[in-house]
């Protein structure tokens, strides 16, 4: 028995959030549900002056210590209250995530549960955040390392996990004592604005969390260039990540956290549980329609079982339920933007043109409205093909074959990225050798996309800089100050 939620009767108009209040009066973007083609939200096109006002508010809230001056316990209490409010509003926030992003409602609800956990872990991190001390500098000198919040943080988020990516950062930024200005993706801003209501109800002081909506080219770019923003956390394309680095260098050398693209390997050995691994491979590329920075998009499979394994994955893919994301039974929903839909279909055409063989999917799914693509598997892929090298950001898995452990490792590392990887084998030597030698910030052994906000996440190589979540996630938004204390009388320099 499944339930199908209904669409809103008319699009909801949102205000932007500045210094503790929602504001209107700006021209509006209209966002249509990518799964249904009907307008669902209207989001303000803020001006650069609005951004300026938000940075001023965040700066004021930081400098007067209304937030940074509280104890970790007091900050943690606000985060725990926010977790409780999110629990109460879980289904509503999940619903807005579906309307703007197109992901299945059951998945979206699971993501909100993960977000609640992020707030709980953030609350603990606020209480545990600490520096270091040096008691080994001799009896006359004592050393301390203090951790201080970086200051005003700019946060730019993408459209694939609008609320989850936000919540993997916001509680940790708040735990550190920083204040922030958030610029969500222009196509998925609603839940970032709903979080403002949650945080206000939880007791967060005004000016600590501000949301300025608008395009990446105007508001996003201005945030990256702003001379009074101390740190920028950006999640999105590698191209825009590069422009953030230039903007930081040309403005104030703001600290950067970057989570960018990936072309993540899933390495399957002949001695693995092939049924388990096939399910992992189908899930790893189809989850969130493959619009996931950690999607396992390169299958690297041992030649002796490759044909059998590819057939297993293709059979699994054919059974995945692609459908209306408001239906609780749906496993794969819509592609979030028309541009992304074109990109994915373009890569599928390119894969065929490059000579790869289509074993599953390979086409759009027509549900009468919205944009959907069937989970797709290409076999016979070679490392030089564009589909093997470039981030497709869609449900398209490319299968490459290997004979030896060394070859598997070399293929896995044959990319400019290094975000995530997965290895499947029952042999501990192979599992650990591959885990140690493949360059990736997150690793899964005999599983995929598992984990919680206790464990840090982030990328190697061109997948980014820095780590989010866990204690690393809060430390990321701090800087250290080394303090030296003389005990007793200092030995004089001027003598005689
Ligand atoms: O991302 P953009 P797009 C990858 C994925 C996808 C491709 C393009 O391969 O196909 O990027 O997606 C803001 N200054 N990922 O074009 O443009 C923008 O408003 C500052 C991987 O949508 O990078 C949005 O808020 N900000 C990824 C955010 O950047 C700018 C998630 C991301 O949009 C800006 C998304 C600018 N000049 C896409 N231009 C991941 N790592 O998960 C845009 N933005």
């Amino acid at each position: 028995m499944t339930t199908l939620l209904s669409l809103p009767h008319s699009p909801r108009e949102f205000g932007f959030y500045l210094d503790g209040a929602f504001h209107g009066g700006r021209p509006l973007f209209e966002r249509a549900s990518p799964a249904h083609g009907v307008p669902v939200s209207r989001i303000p096109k803020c001006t650069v002056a609005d951004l300026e006002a938000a940075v001023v508010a965040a700066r004021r809230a930081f400098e007067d210590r209304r937030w940074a001056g509280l104890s970790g316990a007091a900050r943690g209490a606000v985060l725990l209250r926010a977790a409780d409010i999110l629990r109460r509003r879980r289904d509503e926030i999940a619903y807005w995530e579906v309307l703007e992003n197109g992901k299945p409602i059951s998945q979206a609800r699971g993501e909100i549960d993960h977000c609640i956990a992020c707030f709980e872990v953030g609350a603990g991190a606020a209480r545990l955040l600490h520096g270091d001390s040096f008691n080994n500098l001799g009896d006359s000198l004592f050393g301390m390392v203090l951790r201080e919040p970086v200051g005003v943080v700019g946060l730019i988020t993408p459209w694939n996990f609008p609320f989850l990516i936000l919540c993997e950062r916001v509680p940790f930024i708040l735990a550190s004592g920083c204040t922030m200005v958030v610029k969500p993706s222009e196509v998925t801003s609603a839940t970032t604005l709903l979080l403002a209501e949650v945080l206000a109800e939880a007791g967060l002081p005004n000016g600590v969390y501000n949301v300025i909506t608008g395009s990446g080219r105007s508001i996003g770019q201005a945030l990256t260039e702003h001379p009074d923003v101390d740190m920028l956390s950006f999640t999105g394309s590698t191209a825009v990540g590069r422009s953030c680095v230039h903007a930081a260098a040309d403005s104030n050398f703001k600290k950067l956290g970057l989570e960018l693209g990936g072309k993540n390997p899933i390495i399957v050995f002949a001695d693995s549980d092939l049924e388990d691994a096939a399910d992992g491979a189908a899930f790893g590329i189809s989850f969130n329609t493959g619009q996931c920075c950690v999607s396992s998009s390169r299958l690297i499979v041992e030649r002796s079982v490759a044909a059998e394994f590819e057939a297993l994955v293709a059979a699994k893919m054919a059974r995945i339920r692609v459908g209306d994301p408001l239906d609780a039974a749906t496993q794969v929903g819509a592609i979030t933007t028309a541009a992304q839909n074109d990109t994915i279909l373009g890569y599928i055409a390119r894969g065929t043109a490059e000579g790869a063989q289509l074993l599953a999917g390979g086409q759009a799914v027509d549900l009468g409205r919205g944009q959907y693509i069937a989970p797709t598997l290409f076999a016979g892929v070679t490392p030089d093909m564009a589909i093997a090298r470039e981030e497709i950001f869609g449900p398209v898995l490319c299968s490459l074959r290997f004979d030896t452990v060394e070859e598997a490792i070399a293929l896995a590392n044959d990319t400019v990225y290094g975000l995530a990887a997965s290895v499947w084998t029952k042999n501990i030597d192979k599992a650990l050798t591959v885990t140690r030698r493949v360059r990736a910030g997150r690793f899964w052994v005999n599983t995929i996309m598992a984990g919680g906000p206790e464990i840090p996440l982030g990328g190697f190589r061109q997948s980014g800089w820095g780590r989010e979540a866990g204690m690393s996630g809060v430390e990321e938004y701090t800087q250290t100050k080394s303090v030296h204390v003389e005990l007793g009388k200092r030995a004089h320099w001027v003598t005689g």
Side-chain angles (χ1 to χ4, degrees):
M1 174 86 174
T2 62
T3 49
L4 183 61
L5 296 169
S6 53
L7 288 161
H9 294 299
S10 56
R12 173 168 165 187
E13 188 172 323
F14 287 83
F16 63 100
Y17 190 70
L18 164 61
D19 210 8
F22 285 98
H23 302 265
R26 302 287 174 272
L28 299 166
F29 288 103
E30 192 162 77
R31 172 65 175 156
S33 159
H36 311 94
V38 302
V40 289
S41 55
R42 294 201 176 119
I43 304 290
K45 276 187 206 170
C46 291
T47 62
V48 172
D50 295 329
L51 176 72
E52 197 56 52
V55 174
V56 168
R59 173 60 59 196
R60 197 183 315 118
F62 182 70
E63 298 298 342
D64 70 14
R65 302 192 60 75
R66 68 184 80 165
W67 183 242
L70 300 182
S71 66
R75 284 202 296 274
V78 171
L79 297 176
L80 285 180
R81 280 198 294 276
D84 280 343
I85 299 163
L86 285 177
R87 209 170 271 118
R88 193 183 79 220
R89 297 184 65 175
R90 168 185 186 255
D91 287 358
E92 172 206 352
I93 293 173
Y95 175 69
W96 280 100
E97 207 66 348
V98 173
L99 291 184
E100 288 194 332
N101 168 280
K103 66 180 67 205
I105 185 73
S106 48
Q107 179 193 319
R109 287 179 181 145
E111 287 177 15
I112 310 302
D113 292 339
H114 176 87
C115 295
I116 293 167
C118 289
F119 272 86
E120 290 170 341
V121 171
R127 300 189 70 150
L128 291 171
L129 180 62
H130 65 279
D132 204 352
S133 62
F134 285 79
N135 201 23
N136 62 345
L137 305 178
D139 278 347
S140 63
L141 195 64
F142 178 62
M144 290 182 282
V145 181
L146 307 184
R147 279 204 178 268
E148 298 185 354
V150 168
V152 174
V153 177
L155 178 55
I156 299 178
T157 55
W159 42 261
N160 55 337
F161 291 97
F163 202 66
L164 184 137
I165 286 175
L166 182 74
C167 292
E168 283 178 342
R169 287 145 183 80
V170 169
F172 299 94
I173 297 172
L174 292 178
S176 74
C178 289
T179 63
M180 74 189 94
V181 177
V182 188
K183 206 300 281 178
S185 165
E186 47 274 53
V187 295
T188 54
S189 299
T191 53
T192 304
L193 292 162
L194 292 178
L195 186 64
E197 294 177 0
V198 170
L199 293 172
E201 188 186 338
L204 188 73
N206 293 346
V208 176
Y209 176 84
N210 305 276
V211 183
I212 300 297
T213 50
S215 78
R217 230 171 303 118
S218 61
I219 304 301
Q221 185 70 31
L223 191 54
T224 65
E225 291 170 354
H226 203 293
D228 203 29
V229 169
D230 301 299
M231 177 167 174
L232 181 83
S233 169
F234 171 81
T235 306
S237 63
T238 301
V240 176
R242 187 165 280 116
S243 83
C244 292
V245 176
H246 289 299
D250 292 342
S251 54
N252 61 342
F253 285 106
K254 55 178 67 64
K255 185 177 175 183
L256 290 176
L258 303 172
E259 191 179 332
L260 310 173
K263 191 74 184 173
N264 310 294
I266 170 169
I267 303 160
V268 177
F269 284 94
D271 62 8
S272 66
D273 179 326
L274 292 185
E275 277 286 346
D276 263 20
D279 192 74
F283 172 64
I285 192 62
S286 307
F287 177 69
N288 212 48
T289 55
Q291 299 176 124
C292 190
C293 53
V294 295
S295 290
S296 43
S297 49
R298 286 186 299 144
L299 169 62
I300 298 174
V301 56
E302 193 162 353
R303 196 176 306 279
S304 59
V305 293
E308 178 193 351
F309 188 74
E310 287 159 355
L312 273 173
V313 176
K316 293 249 178 207
M317 281 181 162
R319 303 211 312 268
I320 293 171
R321 294 185 299 274
V322 179
D324 187 328
L326 288 173
D327 182 339
T330 291
Q331 290 177 296
V332 167
I335 304 299
T336 305
T337 67
Q340 191 58 36
N341 197 58
D342 290 347
T343 301
I344 300 166
L345 291 175
Y347 274 113
I348 291 174
R350 200 153 164 200
T352 309
E354 281 176 316
Q357 298 118 41
L358 209 45
L359 295 191
Q363 76 281 322
V365 176
D366 185 2
L367 296 181
R369 55 183 183 172
Q371 60 220 2
Y372 298 85
I373 295 177
T376 296
L377 174 63
F378 275 115
V381 178
T382 53
D384 54 308
M385 292 181 184
I387 56 168
R389 308 208 70 77
E390 296 169 20
E391 184 179 52
I392 298 175
F393 221 57
V396 182
L397 180 62
C398 300
S399 179
L400 301 112
R401 298 180 179 189
F402 70 88
D403 291 301
T404 64
V405 175
E406 284 304 317
E407 211 184 324
I409 292 168
L411 278 170
N413 283 333
D414 185 18
T415 170
V416 296
Y417 297 112
L419 203 53
S422 163
V423 60
W424 298 73
T425 171
K426 293 296 180 193
N427 179 312
I428 187 82
D429 299 355
K430 283 188 211 162
L432 290 180
T433 300
V434 169
T435 301
R436 293 168 74 175
R437 297 264 309 280
V438 171
R439 278 170 274 176
R442 245 196 290 184
F443 230 98
W444 291 290
V445 179
N446 293 328
T447 186
I448 203 149
M449 297 208 187
E454 296 84 356
I455 300 188
L457 49 107
F460 283 24
R461 305 166 98 190
Q462 292 188 32
S463 290
W465 290 347
R467 293 292 177 267
E468 307 287 352
M471 282 311 288
S472 313
V474 63
E475 287 170 1
E476 189 75 19
Y477 295 97
T478 66
Q479 52 197 338
T480 56
K481 179 182 282 176
S482 301
V483 182
H484 305 83
V485 183
E486 180 79 28
L487 306 175
K489 201 161 169 61
R490 183 173 161 272
H492 287 192
W493 183 59
V494 181
T495 55

